[in-house]
Amino acid sequence: MEIIVVKDKFEGGKKAAEIFKQEHDSGAKVFGLATGGTPETTYEQIVASDLDFSDDVSVNLDEYVGLAPDDKQSYHYYMQHHLFDKKPFKKSYLPDGTNLDAKSETKRYSQVIATDPIDLQLLGIGENGHIGFNEPGSAFDSTTSKIHLTDSTIKANSRYFDNYEDVPKYAYSMGIGEIMRAKKILLEAFGKNKAKAVKAMVEGEVTTDVPASILQKHPNVTVIVDEDAASLL
Ligand code: GLP
């Protein structure tokens, strides 16, 4: 793992956008994208850059089950607002939260990932070490599945909703096995609340209790952390 420590999330976003540019210039065509507060500065920098994704494909990590694309809390809406409106891709895929048939939706999405293998996967990390929505205990070889969110994740994500009760309890998420097949992985973490998870990911035992710890086994991972998130390393 290559660890890059930056001053703050703004410097982190700049560095991440540079890596997107490098990979794009070297021929990357399929970009795995993430949502949440963490990648916002990266998307701001990409939007301000001359990157052109009109010949490329994006594949997002996850979506809440039950939320429609025009729901402001959905990850479809987030992506549209933060990136796609300004930097459209030839084709953008996200799990379909309105398809309540989990079997058909997870199968469809796994096929999407198999058809368009990911060149560069952007990741955040949950306070409990989750990646995508793969909560502690998820198998390292998992494919796309419907995940029952843990209480800690629901609490952490409730800051984006009016009430705790409004946070969906399930999500569709790309599996850890699928994330691990990306050619390159770029994980970002900013803030003190991520310090414990970052330490466990980088220096801890590789265990399903900390899903992100499997990244120690991936041959091409760059981690961008601010000083707060790196404070326990
Ligand atoms: C969410 C997302 C993850 C994200 C993580 C951290 O649950 N499913 O993909 O990395 O939590 O979110 P944030 O960046 O808002 O801290």
Side-chain angles (χ1 to χ4, degrees):
M1 274 184 184
E2 180 197 19
I3 315 281
I4 301 175
V5 181
V6 294
K7 194 167 60 134
D8 55 26
K9 64 180 179 180
F10 300 103
E11 202 183 311
K14 263 191 196 151
K15 186 73 213 157
E18 275 168 33
I19 293 173
F20 265 76
K21 174 106 178 80
Q22 274 163 22
E23 294 299 314
H24 191 265
D25 288 352
S26 348
K29 288 261 163 232
V30 183
F31 294 85
L33 301 177
T35 50
T38 306
E40 284 180 11
T41 53
T42 301
Y43 295 144
E44 277 164 22
Q45 290 295 324
I46 288 176
V47 165
S49 76
D50 60 0
L51 267 165
D52 176 6
F53 294 122
S54 57
D55 228 6
D56 304 318
V57 171
S58 72
V59 187
N60 260 82
L61 283 169
D62 43 19
E63 178 59 287
Y64 289 112
V65 174
L67 298 194
D70 61 351
D71 189 311
K72 287 205 165 136
Q73 316 296 349
S74 74
Y75 287 165
H76 277 80
Y77 189 93
Y78 173 106
M79 290 310 302
Q80 210 57 48
H81 175 73
H82 287 284
L83 190 64
F84 300 157
D85 280 346
K86 298 140 198 157
K87 290 277 178 191
F89 285 74
K90 183 174 70 184
K91 181 84 192 147
S92 285
Y93 296 99
L94 284 96
D96 178 2
T98 65
N99 183 359
L100 302 182
D101 179 347
K103 212 170 157 197
S104 80
E105 184 52 23
T106 54
K107 189 169 168 215
R108 179 191 76 83
Y109 210 62
S110 279
Q111 272 163 6
V112 164
I113 301 159
T115 309
D116 279 308
I118 297 166
D119 293 310
L120 174 63
Q121 176 65 56
L122 182 62
L123 292 178
I125 184 169
E127 290 174 22
N128 63 4
H130 74 236
I131 47 176
F133 263 129
N134 296 287
E135 297 282 27
S138 304
F140 283 151
D141 62 354
S142 65
T143 54
T144 302
S145 62
K146 181 180 171 185
I147 310 267
H148 191 184
L149 303 179
T150 62
D151 200 43
S152 94
T153 296
I154 294 171
K155 276 201 190 108
N157 288 1
S158 65
R159 68 188 191 279
Y160 300 116
F161 291 78
D162 289 339
N163 303 296
Y164 172 91
E165 289 72 36
D166 295 342
V167 186
K169 307 293 176 280
Y170 291 89
Y172 292 128
S173 178
M174 191 186 288
I176 298 179
E178 291 162 334
I179 292 172
M180 287 294 281
R181 279 198 284 282
K183 269 197 212 132
K184 179 173 176 68
I185 293 177
L186 173 58
L187 184 144
E188 298 178 287
F190 306 128
K192 268 238 155 16
N193 60 325
K194 299 292 172 73
K196 263 176 85 177
V198 166
K199 185 178 175 63
M201 165 180 73
V202 176
E203 295 175 0
E205 183 197 340
V206 176
T207 164
T208 54
D209 292 346
V210 182
S213 64
I214 190 62
L215 300 178
Q216 292 177 27
K217 304 277 184 203
H218 189 285
N220 191 352
V221 177
T222 299
V223 176
I224 299 179
V225 271
D226 68 359
E227 285 164 8
D228 283 340
S231 58
L232 297 177
L233 293 179

